[in-house]
Amino acid sequence: MSDRPEMFEGTDRIWMDGEFVDFEDAQTHVLTHALHYGTGVFEGVRCYDTEQGPAIFRWEEHLDRLYKSAKPYDLDIEFSKAELTEATTELIETEGFESCYIRPIVYYGFDSLGVSPKSCPTKTTIAAWPWGAYLGEEALEEGVDVMVSSWRKHASSQIPTNIKTTGLYVNSMLAGEEARRNGYTEAIVLNKEGNVAEGPGENIFMVRDGEIYTPGLAESILEGITRNTAITLAEEMGYTVHEEATISRGELYTADELFFTGTAAEVTPIRSVDDNEIGEGTKGPVTDELQTAFFDVIESGDREEWFHYV
Ligand SMILES: Cc1ncc(COP(=O)(O)O)c(C=O)c1O
């Protein structure tokens, strides 16, 4: 296992089309349709080591989104939600993970390389591996420096942006790498209209005058599950949340607070945009309160409707 990237150390098996195979054998053909045309749909899910034991956070919602993502592409997932759940929990148990990241992917495999995938088989795979804080532990405390990308997000009239398709992530890659080349941790991507959409792998929230704003689904954003979690927690804490907001680029610079949400990024404060300090240039009070509430839920695992206990 020594020639594997560090994040995959300790991962022995991957579930592929109904069976568990060794990591090294989890291969697919180079003429796979999805490799050429980006015709796959996927999920990113976290299993947390809660006080109730390992538990998958918002598993039902992630599964629902996977099936919704498959729909516009006529990808017929050959396994039921119950079968995918069983495969995932067995994978986590047999790998002995207390916490991990889970990556289900469904894609068109190899048959022909015409753009039409109609004769291609549907392949389904689930992998899991231990994965820490996506933007770094420090980012959760100190916040991240971000730049507004020169790349615009696909319009939702060009490709469905509310769901999770592999092909969409070339845009995320371009934006994220542009940011890192320029010394920033992450990007913010504007939509076709020039309004704020999201990060390459995160939704974005803004705090202004004690109220919370986040772009609506028509702004070319992924319908994030952590976004939903943050909205729910914030409303329970008594905040007014404008969840269908249109946010201009200028409003980013004058915001009291900004933060990202995502399965990978969890709740990450943004401390500057294009070198403009946001608020005091540290984690703001509303972000702090919400992040604390989020990690309280994750650590306790006692909000039953949000957990699938392994
Ligand atoms: C483009 C994009 N936006 C937002 C998110 C956040 O979504 P979620 O909270 O469901 O992980 C992700 C991550 O999956 C993403 O890739």
Side-chain angles (χ1 to χ4, degrees), residues 159-233:
I159 186 165
T161 49
N162 56 320
I163 52 176
K164 234 171 140 59
T165 311
T166 56
L168 274 173
Y169 282 79
V170 290
N171 178 266
S172 292
M173 196 205 83
L174 287 167
E177 292 311 293
E178 179 190 36
R180 284 181 278 279
R181 253 197 323 274
N182 284 283
Y184 300 91
T185 303
E186 190 59 299
I188 293 174
V189 189
L190 306 180
N191 62 20
K192 191 167 146 278
E193 288 71 36
N195 299 321
V196 175
E198 58 184 349
E202 305 89 1
N203 291 114
I204 190 168
F205 285 74
M206 174 178 83
V207 181
R208 192 177 63 205
D209 298 331
E211 299 194 355
I212 300 176
Y213 298 77
T214 194
L217 294 183
E219 301 296 319
S220 298
I221 65 158
L222 180 74
E223 189 169 7
I225 290 163
T226 322
R227 173 182 182 273
N228 174 275
T229 304
I231 293 169
T232 307
L233 292 175

Side-chain angles (χ1 to χ4, degrees), residues 1-243:
M1 302 210 322
S2 55
D3 58 348
R4 284 190 203 164
E6 203 182 316
M7 70 199 296
F8 294 108
E9 291 287 350
T11 302
D12 292 325
R13 296 192 312 161
I14 288 178
W15 185 88
M16 285 186 88
D17 299 313
E19 48 190 73
F20 291 94
V21 299
D22 288 341
F23 185 96
E24 279 68 21
D25 298 328
Q27 308 284 349
T28 194
H29 200 278
V30 290
L31 296 183
T32 292
H33 194 276
L35 181 61
H36 294 254
Y37 305 121
T39 50
V41 299
F42 69 106
E43 273 306 314
V45 193
R46 276 190 194 262
C47 173
Y48 285 101
D49 181 18
T50 74
E51 284 161 17
Q52 330 280 323
I56 309 174
F57 188 56
R58 308 211 66 177
W59 175 244
E60 304 301 333
E61 291 84 351
H62 281 283
L63 263 189
D64 283 350
R65 190 170 64 187
L66 182 70
Y67 281 77
K68 271 191 207 155
S69 298
K71 207 169 164 207
Y73 302 103
D74 271 341
L75 260 167
D76 183 18
I77 305 180
E78 288 163 2
F79 297 91
S80 66
K81 289 182 182 174
E83 285 169 322
L84 295 188
T85 303
E86 197 187 323
T88 304
T89 49
E90 193 179 333
L91 184 64
I92 295 169
E93 267 176 327
T94 54
E95 294 289 317
F97 296 143
E98 261 135 25
S99 65
C100 61
Y101 183 81
I102 307 160
R103 168 56 56 83
I105 179 166
V106 182
Y107 59 97
Y108 281 114
F110 166 63
D111 181 81
S112 77
L113 268 185
V115 172
S116 169
K118 275 298 156 213
S119 57
C120 296
T122 302
K123 313 290 278 179
T124 307
T125 291
I126 304 168
W129 63 89
W131 207 10
Y134 180 59
L135 298 172
E137 282 297 335
E138 198 191 313
L140 293 172
E141 270 320 301
E142 308 296 327
V144 287
D145 299 311
V146 307
M147 69 173 273
V148 174
S149 179
S150 65
W151 293 101
R152 294 281 174 95
K153 183 96 193 180
H154 310 91
S156 53
S157 57
Q158 294 169 316
I159 186 165
T161 49
N162 56 320
I163 52 176
K164 234 171 140 59
T165 311
T166 56
L168 274 173
Y169 282 79
V170 290
N171 178 266
S172 292
M173 196 205 83
L174 287 167
E177 292 311 293
E178 179 190 36
R180 284 181 278 279
R181 253 197 323 274
N182 284 283
Y184 300 91
T185 303
E186 190 59 299
I188 293 174
V189 189
L190 306 180
N191 62 20
K192 191 167 146 278
E193 288 71 36
N195 299 321
V196 175
E198 58 184 349
E202 305 89 1
N203 291 114
I204 190 168
F205 285 74
M206 174 178 83
V207 181
R208 192 177 63 205
D209 298 331
E211 299 194 355
I212 300 176
Y213 298 77
T214 194
L217 294 183
E219 301 296 319
S220 298
I221 65 158
L222 180 74
E223 189 169 7
I225 290 163
T226 322
R227 173 182 182 273
N228 174 275
T229 304
I231 293 169
T232 307
L233 292 175
E235 284 178 342
E236 285 174 7
M237 283 159 28
Y239 287 104
T240 300
V241 183
H242 305 270
E243 56 179 286

